[in-house]
Amino acid sequence: MNTDQILRTFTDFYVERGHHLITGGTLLPPPSDPVLFTTSGMHPLTPYLEGRPHPRGRRLVNVQRCLRTTDLDEVGDSTHLTVFEMLGSWSLGDYGHPQSLRWGYELLRDGFGIPHGQLYVTVFGGDEQVGPDSESLETWRELGVPVERTREDNWWSNGPVGPCGPDSEIFLWAGDTPPRGTPTTDPRWVEVWNHVSMRYRRHEDGSLTPLPQPSIDTGMGLERLVTVLQGHNSVYDTDLFEPWTRLLRPLWDLDEPSLRLLSDHLRSGIVVIGEGVRPSPTGRGYVLRRLVRRTLTTLWQHDPTRTLSDLPPDLVEHTLDRFRMPGGTDHVREVLLAEESRFTGLLDRGRRLLSRPRYQGKLTDQDYDYLHDTHGLPRDLVMTLQGQDG
Ligand code: SER
């Protein structure tokens, strides 16, 4: 199955079971929201998980684009991406956890063709405040799927306060041998899907009270699912990244870690620009700026004459299509090239300044402040020029 087929199989399955397909929301939460970018499928639905009636009803399904900067340093390994899509289903005070788990099992086995023996699940084993999730345990036992119990790993919350509850995570075997061990003992069990029973609200003092209306929130990372279903070990080997690998490798003659980093950061940068964000010194614009500048530093490591003006327009178009974003490729390229030119100018100025005797050796906080306030050179850039940061 290619990515589009996988996506459609998921949404069709839930639509056939009475769920309303809500449009995959933007990466940008409303101004009242303290976070910069949407980080999970459930995030925009938080008020409804807390009890507000949703205009589309009690059963929802969607594909949500998300951005996580916490993983920025892990980008380049085989699973973490900065921008990714999350498949989600919700029961807002409608059916309960057992039904959600049963449908999850049915979709994985019949919809995606995953052999029963390649599934393992974890459930909440209980702690000082909440007893074990025996409802889920019972459901999985009836389905004949092996279960492991954990504590912290099977409790989901969006933050220190707010809606939360026990969850059950579904793992698929991605090893070359027959399945072995359990999700906590063998990393070849790959977590793909989380079914959360959103039943409590956590308060400032750490106490829990039951939500007036318990709900179910499930989320599954599309790219990770695609990787496992297509039989790969790395997301960069899937059809999602095929154009990137095909076009970038010969263009810039890159080693594998650089190819991955460039593919992730450029793809993410294109989506963020598509959302209307522009590079800037703070907030969302700063995240975009870091993505583009890290791309450029990597690109220039081997050859400083490389430029984003060589970026194939097909890759921009492919990304905008993938994320169902209107808007032309020219515009995205203009933003990227303007940032490249700004960064080049800053680097030239920075190199000239840092070659002065007073900047040889370790810089003080005062030096950093002066370089920033008087010459517009941010600390991370100065550190890059001094070879302390990649
Ligand atoms: N809230 C859960 C998660 O983000 C399921 O959507 O993993």
Side-chain angles (χ1 to χ4, degrees):
M1 277 192 188
N2 65 32
T3 300
D4 285 332
Q5 287 165 330
I6 291 171
L7 204 148
R8 218 167 316 117
T9 302
F10 182 88
T11 51
D12 285 355
F13 181 89
Y14 281 98
V15 168
E16 280 160 20
R17 286 156 185 78
H19 294 65
H20 187 93
L21 178 62
I22 49 175
T23 44
T26 148
L27 268 183
L28 314 184
S32 56
D33 200 312
V35 301
L36 290 178
F37 292 101
T38 300
T39 54
S40 71
M42 59 79 68
H43 187 87
L45 294 171
T46 310
Y48 309 103
L49 290 165
E50 287 181 315
R52 191 199 295 176
H54 193 283
R56 300 295 182 185
R58 289 172 173 275
R59 296 184 182 194
L60 306 174
V61 56
N62 94 347
V63 184
Q64 171 70 48
R65 66 183 83 116
C66 304
L67 185 149
R68 288 190 187 171
T69 49
T70 42
D71 293 337
L72 215 51
D73 291 331
E74 292 181 52
V75 164
D77 71 7
S78 47
T79 54
H80 289 90
L81 295 172
T82 308
V83 165
F84 60 96
E85 292 187 275
M86 233 167 148
L87 307 169
S89 66
W90 292 274
S91 154
L92 302 174
D94 193 20
Y95 56 85
H97 217 185
Q99 178 65 83
S100 179
L101 301 177
R102 283 178 187 281
W103 276 339
Y105 173 75
E106 186 184 336
L107 175 57
L108 292 173
R109 194 196 53 187
D110 302 340
F112 294 129
I114 292 162
H116 178 87
Q118 293 184 7
L119 291 169
Y120 216 121
V121 298
T122 57
V123 304
F124 181 66
D127 63 14
E128 296 73 26
Q129 281 177 294
V130 178
D133 182 3
S134 33
E135 205 183 30
S136 299
L137 196 64
E138 197 47 43
T139 307
W140 288 121
R141 284 208 175 124
E142 281 166 24
L143 291 168
V145 179
V147 182
E148 186 174 27
R149 296 182 221 199
T150 82
R151 281 162 70 119
E152 290 83 11
D153 287 352
N154 284 105
W155 184 269
W156 202 87
S157 60
N158 205 13
V161 294
C164 56
D167 66 35
S168 185
E169 298 182 342
I170 307 179
F171 292 74
L172 305 184
W173 179 252
D176 298 332
T177 63
R180 300 193 179 137
T182 70
T184 62
T185 61
D186 195 315
R188 291 172 294 178
W189 286 108
V190 177
E191 189 219 322
V192 291
W193 203 353
N194 193 5
H195 289 236
V196 185
S197 173
M198 212 66 95
R199 292 196 241 145
Y200 299 97
R201 182 195 308 281
R202 189 172 300 277
H203 302 275
E204 299 276 358
D205 64 0
S207 64
L208 295 172
T209 48
L211 284 173
Q213 160 189 290
S215 293
I216 302 296
D217 151 46
T218 88
M220 173 151 67
L222 174 66
E223 291 81 355
R224 191 176 295 182
L225 177 69
V226 169
T227 307
V228 180
L229 291 183
Q230 293 183 358
H232 297 299
N233 291 321
S234 160
V235 66
Y236 296 97
D237 293 333
T238 65
D239 63 336
L240 279 165
F241 281 91
E242 186 279 328
W244 289 91
T245 313
R246 176 165 45 83
L247 296 170
L248 285 196
R249 209 196 292 271
L251 177 65
W252 286 319
D253 185 21
L254 299 162
D255 57 29
E256 195 59 27
S258 305
L259 177 69
R260 289 178 176 191
L261 185 138
L262 287 182
S263 304
D264 171 81
H265 282 25
L266 283 168
R267 176 177 181 265
S268 304
I270 293 166
V271 178
V272 175
I273 295 169
E275 291 274 17
V277 176
R278 299 290 164 267
S280 70
T282 55
R284 291 177 185 138
Y286 183 64
V287 173
L288 174 59
R289 173 157 285 167
R290 270 202 68 189
L291 288 169
V292 180
R293 291 187 177 182
R294 199 150 175 242
T295 298
L296 290 166
T297 339
T298 307
L299 201 54
W300 290 335
Q301 257 161 17
H302 301 296
D303 179 356
T305 65
R306 288 171 177 168
T307 160
L308 291 179
S309 57
D310 292 332
L311 180 68
D314 279 1
L315 292 179
V316 181
E317 205 175 315
H318 173 261
T319 306
L320 295 175
D321 281 356
R322 164 83 254 140
F323 286 86
R324 303 166 292 285
M325 301 182 109
T329 57
D330 289 350
H331 174 63
V332 172
R333 286 167 58 82
E334 276 162 27
V335 175
L336 289 174
L337 292 183
E339 183 60 14
E340 176 178 310
S341 140
R342 195 183 145 79
F343 191 43
T344 310
L346 263 179
L347 285 176
D348 288 345
R349 186 147 27 110
R351 276 197 198 96
R352 277 200 304 275
L353 271 163
L354 290 176
S355 67
R356 293 181 189 167
R358 87 171 255 207
Y359 296 118
Q360 305 309 305
K362 200 167 159 44
L363 300 191
T364 62
D365 283 344
Q366 221 177 353
D367 290 328
Y368 283 117
D369 288 346
Y370 171 77
L371 289 167
H372 181 262
D373 297 345
T374 313
H375 297 285
L377 293 170
R379 192 183 186 108
D380 58 355
L381 181 65
V382 173
M383 289 169 75
T384 304
L385 285 171
Q386 289 206 312
Q388 294 174 23
D389 184 28

